[in-house]
Amino acid sequence: MGNAIRKLRIGVLISGSGTNLQVILDGAAKDVLDVDVRVVISNKAEAFGLERARQAGVAAVHVDPTSFPDASAYNIAVREVLVEHGVDFVVMAGYMKLLGTEVLDAFPNRVLNIHPALLPSFPGAHGISDAFDYGVKVTGVTVHFANAVFDEGPIIAQEPVHVAEDDTLETLEAKIHEVEYRLYPAALQLLAEGRLIIEGRKVRIR
Ligand code: GAR
């Protein structure tokens, strides 16, 4: 932490409420997280995360997938916004679209994702409810480097969350989010400090 480390210039991709984004913006503002959020991009115009970005004085850009002929053209547009804003790392925080190789290839080993389950279990858009409905006793949170498969790629950090007898989907969601708000900033700080080394499928923390 502090000024010794060059801040990690990140672009955050969202699709919704942006509570994880908010934790990152707050950490950056308080200088407890060595990241500089250069731009927030959403595929959804109504994503509240765009408003959170604006309130933090960060560029907020809606890239509308429906205004492009295909997914490739959309991903090229996303890439252009990231490059324009001088982004070094891409941070997906509730981004509910598959990120195209057009972006991934421009940021090799430089795209992170958070998922609200213990991958490789329960990938997809409903990780919390899928795990809850399955009846697992333990689920959790995963932070990982992203690849061209949704919710796949070398795992940086995982933390288990126990499902109690009296948990409802809502109480489980609250427990998962609480872990997310700690785990993602912690992983980003390790990244900012240059402490994450990818070795094949594995990530070593030095
Ligand atoms: C988070 O729980 C995140 O883990 C999940 O979306 C939520 C976004 O919430 N991501 C995925 O499910 C990715 N497959 P937020 O917009 O309030 O940060």
Side-chain angles (χ1 to χ4, degrees), residues 14-22 49 52 92-96 113-117 119 122-128 141-142 144 150-151 173 176-177 180-181 184:
I14 60 159
S15 299
S17 134
T19 60
N20 280 281
L21 164 70
Q22 189 67 58
R52 294 178 190 276
M92 295 194 280
Y95 183 64
M96 296 306 188
N113 183 42
I114 187 163
H115 184 69
L119 293 175
F122 308 112
H126 309 287
I128 305 175
V141 176
T142 304
H144 65 99
F150 202 58
D151 295 328
E173 277 169 352
I176 294 272
H177 291 315
E180 289 192 308
Y181 303 154
Y184 218 2

Side-chain angles (χ1 to χ4, degrees), residues 96-193:
M96 296 306 188
K97 267 183 88 66
L98 182 66
L99 193 63
T101 51
E102 296 80 4
V103 179
L104 288 163
D105 291 349
F107 296 92
N109 292 336
R110 285 168 171 255
V111 181
L112 277 74
N113 183 42
I114 187 163
H115 184 69
L118 292 178
L119 293 175
S121 290
F122 308 112
H126 309 287
I128 305 175
S129 58
D130 287 349
F132 184 76
D133 292 345
Y134 193 93
V136 297
K137 303 291 188 192
V138 182
T139 180
V141 176
T142 304
V143 177
H144 65 99
F145 285 105
N147 63 23
V149 181
F150 202 58
D151 295 328
E152 238 244 34
I155 290 172
I156 298 166
Q158 285 186 307
E159 191 172 313
V161 171
H162 290 268
V163 184
E165 289 290 325
D166 60 354
D167 263 328
T168 61
L169 179 58
E170 290 68 34
T171 61
L172 181 61
E173 277 169 352
K175 288 203 263 185
I176 294 272
H177 291 315
E178 196 186 307
V179 172
E180 289 192 308
Y181 303 154
R182 273 189 290 105
L183 207 63
Y184 218 2
L188 287 170
Q189 187 58 27
L190 287 172
L191 187 69
E193 291 173 9

